[in-house]
Amino acid sequence: MKKVKCPYCGFFCIKYGKNHTRKQRWQCKSCFSVFVQSNDTTTYDLKCFLDWLFSKDTQKEMMGAGRNFRRKTNKFWEVWPMPPKIEQPQSILYVDGIYLARKVCILICCNDTYVLGWYVCRSENSRAWESLLSRIAAPTVVISDGGTGFRKAVQKVWPKTKLQRCVFHAFCQVRRYTTTRSKSLAGAELYGLARQLLQIKDRDEAIQWTRDLQSWHGKHKTFLDELTREPNGNLRSTHERLLKAEKSLINLIKSDTLFTYLRPFDFACPSTNNRIEGAINAQIRAMLRNHRGMSIERRIKAVFWWCYMHTKKPLSPKEILKVMPTDTSISNIYNTMNSRARLEKSIPTWGDAIVWGELHHSDPYPTHLWD
């Protein structure tokens, strides 16, 4: 039988009768305090909450249409599970952003096994990426789909890390401009070159592919240089979409981020970020789809809960509720910071405050007072 310990001193207790509600009382052998042991169902309630969140079950199918479930688990929607700080360097990391609404994006970073970090922002930009990457040790290679501002953030936070642009996303960008059934010969050939990116396995094939891209431009140079006069009299390129598709590939070649996976590393470097797209983003979208109808704030917290429970060592339920910030704690911090800022603004600035030296002199015979 598990022995009961005193909540005040931690010493073992003995039975000490029952109270008026017929619950067992206990007395400590050391401090002689008497108490009734309460059953803490927080762990069980949190487990039920997470099991529901990560499953396809609906509250309507629960007993009482889920009213009892919502009463017990409503407190968990106030918690913000925050990512841990990763200090151990990794070989390969995958990053991507998933949009929950028009101006709500969650940036996620993971390795081959666990989620390492996440950050909520309005859009993908360099400042948001810097906030995510600053809490994670610099890896050898990071694979990205080319999100806005990511390259700038990597150069600032992880200057020695090699960047690999996801080859499949590079192909999709070309396909967006050329379509799969281009009406021009140049568009069809460029689409074919983009598809060959998915099959390149060594440096020689990469060099040959780059030469083929240059040959394509020389072959269709006259066609690509055609201009069209707009109604206002300005000239613009007739085949602007083809030029944008070609430029997207040329920029990746010049930045040396298209064939990073072909370098001689001590590990096998993938060319795509399918790990984060299929194993994380797809499951998060499925979770939000199963529980559609949640507010945007709860959708954000649902993603936070999913990411945290898929980290390497998530805390126990009791420690999570004790350590993680809540809506109330964040609001108190904000109010404290805001009041402090208002107080600092009310203090007289330079030139307005009293100077102590004007009222007190260290020299008993100040010369500047002589006539």
Side-chain angles (χ1 to χ4, degrees):
M1 182 178 178
K2 184 178 179 181
K3 295 184 178 180
V4 177
K5 293 185 179 180
C6 178
Y8 306 104
C9 64
F11 205 77
F12 294 106
C13 303
I14 58 175
K15 291 183 178 181
Y16 194 72
K18 296 183 179 181
N19 63 0
H20 65 283
T21 59
R22 306 303 298 171
K23 289 185 179 181
Q24 182 65 55
R25 293 193 304 179
W26 299 87
Q27 184 184 42
C28 179
K29 295 181 179 180
S30 177
C31 63
F32 302 103
S33 58
V34 180
F35 62 93
V36 176
Q37 188 180 21
S38 59
N39 295 327
D40 188 7
T41 61
T42 304
T43 302
Y44 178 77
D45 293 341
L46 180 57
K47 183 178 182 302
C48 294
F49 172 75
L50 296 177
D51 290 342
W52 165 81
L53 187 62
F54 301 153
S55 67
K56 297 181 180 180
D57 300 336
T58 60
Q59 297 182 14
K60 187 177 181 180
E61 299 174 353
M62 298 179 181
M63 184 177 298
R67 287 188 293 270
N68 191 36
F69 173 80
R70 288 190 293 273
R71 178 179 59 82
K72 291 182 177 181
T73 61
N74 187 54
K75 56 187 175 183
F76 302 127
W77 285 117
E78 299 181 358
V79 181
W80 289 89
M82 304 305 294
K85 188 172 183 179
I86 308 300
E87 299 180 351
Q88 183 177 359
Q90 309 282 327
S91 299
I92 304 173
L93 292 184
Y94 309 86
V95 296
D96 195 14
I98 178 172
Y99 279 85
L100 306 183
R102 183 180 179 183
K103 291 187 177 181
V104 178
C105 177
I106 297 183
L107 309 179
I108 302 176
C109 178
C110 71
N111 57 11
D112 291 325
T113 310
Y114 303 104
V115 177
L116 302 181
W118 53 93
Y119 183 80
V120 61
C121 57
R122 290 184 177 270
S123 62
E124 298 184 55
N125 54 71
S126 59
R127 295 187 300 274
W129 283 115
E130 289 175 12
S131 301
L132 173 66
L133 304 183
S134 60
R135 295 183 56 84
I136 303 174
T140 305
V141 179
V142 59
I143 303 177
S144 168
D145 62 351
T148 307
F150 179 72
R151 184 181 175 188
K152 179 180 178 181
V154 168
Q155 292 176 351
K156 183 177 180 180
V157 182
W158 296 341
K160 296 183 179 180
T161 299
K162 303 299 180 182
L163 176 59
Q164 168 63 49
R165 171 66 184 274
C166 178
V167 176
F168 180 76
H169 282 86
F171 159 72
C172 291
Q173 188 172 5
V174 174
R175 184 182 61 184
R176 191 181 306 116
Y177 291 122
T178 62
T179 71
T180 58
R181 297 181 180 179
S182 179
K183 296 181 180 180
S184 63
L185 178 61
E189 291 183 357
L190 184 60
Y191 173 74
L193 284 173
R195 291 196 61 178
Q196 292 178 12
L197 276 174
L198 306 176
Q199 302 174 357
I200 295 178
K201 302 300 181 183
D202 53 43
R203 299 288 294 180
D204 295 335
E205 293 180 0
I207 294 173
Q208 183 61 41
W209 182 88
T210 305
R211 292 173 180 173
D212 294 341
L213 182 61
Q214 295 175 350
S215 301
W216 174 87
H217 182 82
K219 178 181 178 181
H220 301 284
K221 187 176 186 306
T222 305
F223 178 76
L224 297 174
D225 291 341
E226 293 180 359
L227 299 176
T228 300
R229 187 174 297 278
E230 295 180 343
N232 57 5
N234 296 332
L235 293 175
R236 68 177 183 85
S237 176
T238 305
H239 310 287
E240 185 177 3
R241 296 178 64 85
L242 285 180
L243 293 175
K244 288 183 178 180
E246 180 195 18
K247 186 178 180 181
S248 66
L249 296 175
I250 293 176
N251 290 338
L252 293 178
I253 295 174
K254 289 183 178 180
S255 62
D256 197 19
T257 59
L258 188 59
F259 300 115
T260 304
Y261 69 98
L262 299 177
R263 295 187 180 186
F265 294 111
D266 297 334
F267 50 87
C269 181
S271 60
T272 64
N273 62 348
N274 291 340
R275 166 71 181 95
I276 192 171
E277 289 285 354
I280 296 179
N281 289 355
Q283 295 189 35
I284 290 177
R285 291 190 179 97
M287 176 187 65
L288 298 176
R289 186 168 56 252
N290 293 332
H291 305 294
R292 56 185 175 273
M294 294 189 297
S295 64
I296 184 60
E297 182 179 353
R298 290 199 172 185
R299 274 182 281 171
I300 295 173
K301 292 181 179 179
V303 176
F304 274 40
W305 275 115
W306 193 97
C307 292
Y308 182 78
M309 297 310 297
H310 287 79
T311 56
K312 188 175 182 179
K313 293 181 179 180
L315 298 175
S316 63
K318 288 186 179 180
E319 293 176 338
I320 289 176
L321 299 177
K322 185 184 300 183
V323 175
M324 296 301 175
T326 61
D327 294 339
T328 304
S329 63
I330 293 176
S331 179
N332 293 336
I333 294 174
Y334 175 79
N335 293 333
T336 303
M337 298 287 291
N338 196 21
S339 60
R340 184 178 300 175
R342 290 197 301 266
L343 179 62
E344 291 177 354
K345 289 182 179 180
S346 64
I347 297 177
T349 56
W350 175 262
D352 298 333
I354 298 175
V355 180
W356 184 262
E358 294 179 354
L359 304 177
H360 300 79
H361 302 283
S362 58
D363 190 355
Y365 306 103
T367 57
H368 69 279
L369 299 178
W370 295 357
D371 191 13

